[in-house]
Amino acid sequence: MAQRFNEVAAQAHKDPQGFWQEAAKDVIWMDEPKTILDDTNPPFYHWFPDGTINGCYNAVDRHVVEGRGDQNAIIYDSPITDSKRTITYRELQDEVARCAGMIAAHGVGYGDRVILYMPMVPSAVIGMLACARIGAIHSVVFGGFASAELAKRIDDAKPKLILTASCGIEPSRIVSYKPLLDEAIEMAAHKPDAVILEQRPQAIAEMIAGRDFDWADEIGKAEPADCVPVRSGDPAYILYTSGTTGMPKGVVRPTGAHIVALKWSMKNIYDCTAGDVYWAASDVGWVVGHSYITYAPLFEGCTTVIYEGKPVGTPDAGAFWRVIAEHKVRAMFTAPTAIRAVKKEDPDGALIADYDLSHFKYQFLAGERCDPDTLAWCEEKLGVPTIDHWWQTETGWSIAANCMGIEPLPVKSGSPTLPIPTCDVQVLDEGGKQVANGEIGSIVVKLPLPPGSLSGLWQNDARFIEAYMADFPGYYKTGDAGYLDEDGYVYVMSRTDDIINVAGHRLSTGGMEEVLAAHKDVAECAVLGVDDALKGQVPMGFVVLKSGVSRAGDEIIKELVADVREKIGPVAAFKLAVIVARLPKTRSGKILRGTIQKIANGQEFAMPATIDDPVILDEIADALSHIGYPLSQ
Ligand code: COA
Ligand code: AMP
């Protein structure tokens, strides 16, 4: 068992540079790299530093040249608008080249930033590829974020241009993007030169003359632009992700290494090759969408599915199986929360029988810890291997995965299996010493990280070092806590910081606390994640009011919920808050978040030795009982 995988991993461990040098032969370089790894300036490592390459050429043009022009590159399936469309590689090449020309005509060139604030439509993927074509750096902002979050990203990335659409469509409502975008530009200190907007019939946006341009008109006028060479280390994109404060971290993805790594992952992790249909049911606003809706399947010459719908309600809990059957999907990737949503509506998986899933070979899950029930349900009802794999926005692809294309390893429920080859995962205690197998500690990766991981944070080396490299010199701190078992299987149990995972979406409780603390009646607050059967976790606020505030608590809570929705966005799913007289703290004044969380989740806890007043814990439990927590009791 695991013989082939062990051989590959052992060889890769012995000669990581040789391993990735070999993988790099599978992509098209404009100038082949002579150096495989520049390790002269740790903790900044650069893979393939002297190569030049183009991401769009590797995703699109090469496949036309190699004879796949008539194969579908994209299948757009939108149950929410009741529409479908296919785009061949040849058509994609034409559309992307014209989109690149359109962007260039607005003064965008090599190294310039372009923000995309787009729903799940083909133009989002086309816009990303068009930026790559001309060496511009894209930064996609998820549509569920509010204006203030978008404004932060505009100020940090300083885009010349913003690409958007008039609306996104949620099952319960049309989300008009333009007013949100206008407000964000108003709030931001940096002003883009132009906005290009795709009008969707569901909501026609009003345009600001001189700044806003209609996508269809501009594309009509555009001259196709060709692929330009960029240096391997040039950023392909910036993707903002939650950190411990309200200011997100701008993860920078180096171009050449991400092409090599993602192409390798398609064959070796997902067991998909050119011509296969691959579907990541995520959103282009998240890293899964970047890597596995847009880039990796196209680098490999697969057909990628852009799905504008939900796991349930569009129209029912059979939606995923319908898409898999209709488009002959070989491997599908989603978050456990999406499966939980399906399982809740169709516990016996009765709808699965309505579809021919004979082409379906693998169900991949990531984005949050995969609970054993979800894994078992998929395995039993779908009858295909269900593969949990662990990764982060920062790494851009798996840290640990069961590599289906190398050799399927035994699945252990609760574990994303083994680290991928060349990724040296270790578990350390607070002092930086390796702990014994089975003991929980900080999960770290020995530097250098494999290719495709972040090369830094956008124009912020100090934060990059502080956030990831400073605590354990020589290692990348993942921010996750967990352990390795006796076979080296990785178990990822929780975060070591203030990040929570809500329906597979990564959110900062620190950011939510900043919003609550800004309310005029709030003296202090804590936000933490409490267990939720569907979303894994949901945020809950604990709020101490300023003395003398006599307004009804319910009214204040409603305002706080509205504030988080308004300032962070609906995706934060902040709906629960309780008003308490005091927050439990250590004698040095640190809020005991972990203890509050255990009380809210009905878990046992040891009385913290440093607590200043244990009675406060009873007060917290009492306040929680009024809103029905802990749920299990
Ligand atoms: N634009 C605007 N609003 C959005 C949005 C978008 N792109 N995406 C989500 N929202 C809104 C939702 O409408 C919802 O608003 P509401 O409070 O008015 O109901 C809110 O943000 C929370 O959304 P979500 O967390 O998605 O919850 P949900 O109850 O609507 O759906 C699931 C629950 C499980 C079905 C859904 O979260 C899901 O499909 N998750 C899969 C996650 C995923 O793909 N993760 C990526 C990693 S693989
Ligand atoms: P994101 O950057 O949004 O992809 O979120 C990354 C975080 O999600 C990780 O640091 C983990 O905390 C969590 N995560 C992702 N995949 C898994 C997994 N398979 N098992 C456990 N946690 C996961």
Side-chain angles (χ1 to χ4, degrees):
M1 211 55 118
Q3 197 184 340
R4 167 100 187 106
F5 181 83
N6 285 344
E7 276 167 23
V8 172
Q11 181 57 32
H13 183 74
K14 230 189 321 167
D15 180 17
Q17 294 196 38
F19 181 84
W20 289 114
Q21 182 173 25
E22 195 55 35
K25 291 182 184 153
D26 206 20
V27 310
I28 310 277
W29 296 91
M30 285 157 164
D31 292 297
E32 297 262 344
K34 290 177 188 64
T35 311
I36 300 307
L37 178 69
D38 173 3
D39 56 3
T40 54
N41 183 27
F44 298 90
Y45 291 86
H46 297 291
W47 288 95
F48 319 112
D50 48 12
T52 64
I53 196 160
N54 183 279
C56 182
Y57 187 85
N58 275 276
V60 184
D61 300 60
R62 77 168 283 182
H63 303 302
V64 178
V65 172
E66 290 169 8
R68 301 197 160 271
D70 296 329
Q71 180 200 308
N72 282 336
I74 292 176
I75 297 172
Y76 167 60
D77 187 312
S78 172
I80 209 140
T81 59
D82 195 22
S83 51
K84 288 177 199 165
R85 188 185 159 204
T86 54
I87 304 172
T88 65
Y89 271 102
R90 197 183 318 284
E91 289 163 346
L92 185 62
Q93 183 183 37
D94 177 55
E95 289 206 31
V96 171
R98 281 190 297 124
C99 183
M102 167 180 93
I103 294 172
H106 282 272
V108 174
Y110 171 79
D112 291 330
R113 272 81 59 211
V114 176
I115 277 188
L116 285 88
Y117 188 55
M118 303 277 296
M120 283 292 290
V121 291
S123 305
V125 169
I126 290 168
M128 293 164 84
L129 294 167
C131 290
R133 195 168 186 87
I134 57 170
I137 303 166
H138 63 68
S139 187
V140 184
V141 180
F142 178 62
F145 281 123
S147 300
E149 288 294 319
L150 179 54
K152 285 179 196 168
R153 289 152 172 82
I154 293 174
D155 271 337
D156 199 61
K158 300 190 174 43
K160 265 197 180 169
L161 174 70
I162 297 184
L163 299 179
T164 191
S166 57
C167 65
I169 303 154
E170 287 295 293
S172 57
R173 65 192 190 286
I174 307 268
V175 183
S176 290
Y177 282 7
K178 190 58 183 355
L180 296 170
L181 175 62
D182 287 344
E183 198 187 337
I185 295 176
E186 181 74 33
M187 283 173 162
H190 172 84
K191 309 292 175 195
D193 296 342
V195 170
I196 302 180
L197 178 143
E198 180 168 84
Q199 293 284 12
R200 306 188 77 191
Q202 293 81 3
I204 299 296
E206 279 186 28
M207 307 290 265
I208 296 176
R211 189 200 70 185
D212 300 345
F213 298 86
D214 181 87
W215 189 300
D217 292 349
E218 297 300 293
I219 280 281
K221 291 189 277 195
E223 290 293 325
D226 215 344
C227 296
V228 304
V230 304
R231 286 174 308 188
S232 178
D234 285 336
Y237 64 80
I238 308 165
L239 179 57
Y240 289 88
T241 189
S242 301
T244 47
T245 67
M247 186 57 212
K249 296 189 270 199
V251 165
V252 175
R253 188 81 55 219
T255 305
H258 115 113
I259 300 172
V260 172
L262 291 186
K263 187 149 195 312
W264 184 90
S265 75
M266 282 309 289
K267 282 196 184 109
N268 292 284
I269 296 179
Y270 300 98
D271 192 25
C272 284
T273 50
D276 289 334
V277 182
Y278 177 88
W279 176 28
S282 179
D283 186 289
V284 283
W286 305 116
V287 69
V288 176
H290 281 64
S291 294
Y292 291 105
I293 295 173
T294 300
Y295 286 111
L298 297 181
F299 289 151
E300 179 53 33
C302 294
T303 301
T304 186
V305 179
I306 301 178
Y307 176 69
E308 191 182 26
K310 301 274 174 182
V312 292
T314 56
D316 58 27
F320 277 5
W321 326 130
R322 196 259 313 150
V323 172
I324 290 171
E326 192 171 323
H327 305 304
K328 300 190 167 47
V329 170
R330 175 175 169 86
M332 192 254 197
F333 176 175
T334 191
T337 188
I339 300 293
R340 288 196 296 270
V342 171
K343 187 166 81 140
K344 191 168 162 219
E345 294 216 349
D346 182 18
D348 298 329
L351 293 170
I352 297 170
D354 294 348
Y355 301 98
D356 171 8
L357 302 190
S358 53
H359 289 85
F360 187 44
K361 298 287 176 250
Y362 305 107
Q363 175 68 64
F364 286 89
L365 297 174
E368 58 177 324
R369 184 172 165 72
C370 181
D371 53 288
D373 284 355
T374 300
L375 184 78
W377 189 89
C378 278
E379 282 175 337
E380 187 197 322
K381 307 292 179 209
L382 295 172
V384 296
T386 301
I387 310 300
D388 177 17
H389 54 329
W390 166 55
W391 51 300
Q392 318 180 299
T393 304
E394 286 84 347
T395 62
W397 65 294
S398 294
I399 308 171
N402 200 340
C403 293
M404 290 294 110
I406 301 179
E407 179 190 22
L409 302 182
V411 170
K412 295 193 197 182
S413 183
S415 170
T417 320
L418 295 176
I420 54 114
T422 77
C423 195
D424 186 354
V425 174
Q426 300 183 15
V427 180
L428 306 182
D429 66 16
E430 277 180 15
K433 270 185 52 197
Q434 235 171 303
V435 301
N437 286 344
E439 260 180 52
I440 292 198
S442 275
I443 312 183
V444 299
V445 181
K446 195 163 187 297
L447 295 174
L449 289 165
S453 303
L454 80 173
S455 54
L457 294 180
W458 179 246
Q459 297 190 330
N460 201 340
D461 288 352
R463 193 173 182 196
F464 172 71
I465 291 173
E466 184 229 309
Y468 305 111
M469 307 294 175
D471 287 358
F472 303 106
Y475 296 89
Y476 163 79
K477 181 179 78 173
T478 64
D480 284 320
Y483 63 93
L484 302 176
D485 76 3
E486 64 288 356
D487 298 321
Y489 275 51
V490 183
Y491 289 76
V492 183
M493 306 306 289
S494 60
R495 292 285 307 184
T496 58
D497 54 17
D498 298 334
I499 288 169
I500 56 171
N501 204 309
V502 179
H505 309 317
R506 173 169 157 181
L507 298 162
S508 160
T509 53
M512 292 186 228
E513 286 177 5
E514 284 172 23
V515 174
L516 302 192
H519 188 282
K520 64 180 174 29
D521 294 336
V522 172
E524 63 175 340
C525 62
V527 175
L528 38 93
V530 297
D531 295 345
D532 182 84
L534 174 65
K535 299 192 177 193
Q537 281 187 308
V538 287
M540 183 186 279
F542 293 81
V543 180
V544 179
L545 299 181
K546 287 179 182 160
S547 60
V549 173
S550 56
R551 297 168 60 214
D554 286 358
E555 206 177 296
I556 296 173
I557 287 174
K558 253 192 216 151
E559 289 168 11
L560 295 173
V561 168
D563 282 355
V564 174
R565 194 176 172 93
E566 155 90 23
K567 293 191 183 141
I568 296 180
V571 69
F574 181 83
K575 297 195 171 147
L576 296 170
V578 281
I579 292 176
V580 292
R582 303 175 290 172
L583 289 169
K585 291 183 187 165
T586 61
R587 280 184 215 109
S588 60
K590 206 167 169 282
I591 297 172
L592 289 160
R593 289 182 172 76
T595 310
I596 306 177
Q597 188 176 37
K598 288 204 166 84
I599 297 173
N601 288 335
Q603 291 161 345
E604 298 218 346
F605 63 92
M607 182 61 69
T610 54
I611 191 165
D612 61 350
D613 183 356
V615 176
I616 303 178
L617 299 185
D618 297 333
E619 294 170 11
I620 295 276
D622 189 45
L624 279 165
S625 70
H626 285 108
I627 59 162
Y629 277 80
L631 292 174
S632 50
Q633 292 181 357

